[in-house]
Amino acid sequence: MSGELINGKQLAQEKRDEMKAEVEALKNQEGVTPGLAVILVGDHPASHSYVKGKVKDCKEVGIHSELKTLPDTVDEQTLLDEIDKYNNDDAIDGILVQLPLPEHISEDKVIDAINPEKDVDGFHPVSVGKMLLGKETFYSCTPAGIIEMVKSKQIPIEGSHVVIVGRSHIVGKPAGMLFLQNNATVTYCHSRTKDMSAITKQADILVVAVGQAQLIGPEDIKDDAVVIDVGMNRNEEGKLVGDVNFEAVKEKASYITPVPGGVGPMTRTMLLHNTIKSARNWRE
Ligand code: NDP
């Protein structure tokens, strides 16, 4: 029997439809329009398309968005000044600086410069620290989207063994933290892990966030595992593929996310969720 698809594209559309109604109500009842500022530095083609998608999503649900583009030669201080303008702009509830940044600009400094109250990407150390402590904050979008996807299928998290492959600050680590908060038992794997397959095979829920096509095959999972594929890679034909051998693994998994149409659309949608949440926070 083949595993059931967790359709991130469809779930994200459902969420955006709900948010549209929420934003409409916020406008009508409280006169509040949530606002997102997106800052793009340079001409990275993938970044361009991500940013375009984010602005389009805002439009769809009625969020005000402002796109600030800066050349890749911009100096660090100018970028920090732009962030500060948005920190002090009442029409803006969320600030997102599209990563990666040119090498001469410190990502850490830039993330630190965002007011944590407007940190809708959830990358600021204050947001990450609060998340670790289980306090109210902005959860970073990909991990939050993953939890939503698992919950959408009523898959039990409590007591289950969740194995996360990848330990980046923006995906792997926070994803593990969120599963732990939901009472899972969490194991991390990374590039130095020995005999990784023996560990991934123990997973009730396997989250793969590495960036290597075909890293995980059917021999790496147990029967009926839930498989969440975060990876985004281009194969030889230029097609977007995940880190999991989808066709083979889906035969063995109970649930699986596709690439494209899985984690990606949910990540985008959680950004809107955080922006609306911020708009509410500011006005309380
Ligand atoms: P990073 O490159 O920051 O991290 C990759 C992680 O994978 C590291 O922790 C690294 O280990 C680990 N790793 C590398 N090789 C192996 C290996 N052979 N076995 C086990 N672990 C390994 O990537 P990101 O977390 O930023 O992104 C991961 C993937 O997810 C990428 O394809 C990215 O494009 C995609 N992505 C998708 C998103 C979406 O919305 N769908 C959002 C964000 C990312 P170590 O720490 O030891 O180096």
Side-chain angles (χ1 to χ4, degrees):
M1 205 192 75
S2 163
E4 194 184 319
L5 210 65
I6 309 180
N7 186 333
K9 193 173 169 196
Q10 189 186 327
L11 184 61
Q13 186 61 59
E14 287 166 17
K15 297 261 173 220
R16 285 201 302 278
D17 290 344
E18 285 169 23
M19 287 179 202
K20 201 170 168 179
E22 204 183 336
V23 171
E24 187 70 24
L26 255 177
K27 280 184 196 169
N28 293 339
Q29 289 159 19
E30 301 181 39
V32 167
T33 302
L36 175 71
V38 180
I39 304 178
L40 174 66
V41 182
D43 253 341
H44 202 275
S47 295
H48 248 287
S49 101
Y50 293 151
V51 160
K52 242 172 77 183
K54 285 164 186 171
V55 170
K56 180 170 158 267
D57 289 347
C58 283
K59 203 164 174 199
E60 182 186 334
V61 303
I63 292 177
H64 162 72
S65 70
E66 290 183 23
L67 173 59
K68 179 86 203 169
T69 50
L70 297 167
D72 55 11
T73 50
V74 74
D75 62 291
E76 194 176 81
Q77 192 54 49
T78 306
L79 174 56
L80 295 175
D81 291 345
E82 287 298 336
I83 293 171
D84 209 43
K85 269 190 223 159
Y86 287 127
N87 280 340
N88 294 302
D89 183 341
D90 286 345
I92 295 300
D93 301 291
I95 303 169
L96 178 150
V97 181
Q98 185 65 46
L99 303 178
L101 292 169
E103 270 185 13
H104 67 278
I105 298 178
S106 155
E107 268 182 22
D108 281 352
K109 261 196 197 165
V110 166
I111 291 171
D112 287 358
I114 297 170
N115 179 346
E117 302 286 326
K118 297 190 178 187
D119 175 38
V120 287
D121 242 348
F123 295 164
H124 193 284
V126 168
S127 309
V128 178
K130 283 187 171 177
M131 184 199 214
L132 180 67
L133 297 171
K135 291 188 174 171
E136 183 60 29
T137 189
F138 298 112
Y139 291 164
S140 57
C141 299
T142 303
I146 293 171
I147 298 283
E148 289 283 328
M149 291 175 93
V150 172
K151 288 188 172 171
S152 75
K153 294 291 181 188
Q154 284 84 43
I155 295 163
I157 298 177
E158 182 164 324
S160 65
H161 186 191
V162 177
V163 175
I164 314 270
V165 186
R167 55 172 169 177
S168 72
H169 294 332
I170 61 168
V171 187
K173 263 187 208 167
M177 282 188 233
L178 283 190
F179 276 109
L180 184 65
Q181 256 162 45
N182 282 274
N183 297 322
T185 302
V186 178
T187 304
Y188 286 99
C189 297
H190 46 78
S191 67
R192 318 286 168 87
T193 299
K194 288 181 189 154
D195 195 6
M196 193 169 83
S197 190
I199 300 169
T200 56
K201 262 194 284 216
Q202 296 171 31
D204 300 312
I205 301 173
L206 178 65
V207 178
V208 192
V210 171
Q212 255 180 55
Q214 308 279 335
L215 180 73
I216 299 292
E219 66 284 4
D220 301 313
I221 71 159
K222 71 174 178 189
D223 284 337
D224 293 332
V226 175
V227 180
I228 309 290
D229 189 356
V230 185
M232 290 197 302
N233 314 287
R234 294 275 165 199
N235 69 7
E236 289 115 46
E237 294 113 58
K239 226 180 103 194
L240 189 65
V241 294
D243 291 346
V244 173
N245 178 348
F246 178 80
E247 290 304 327
V249 167
K250 85 167 194 283
E251 299 304 319
K252 209 172 166 187
S254 57
Y255 291 93
I256 186 164
T257 64
V259 179
V263 176
M266 280 304 287
T267 297
R268 268 169 65 171
T269 297
M270 294 318 286
L271 175 69
L272 307 176
H273 167 86
N274 281 349
T275 305
I276 298 169
K277 181 183 155 103
S278 177
R280 287 193 188 284
N281 288 350
W282 277 103
R283 272 85 183 185
E284 267 170 10

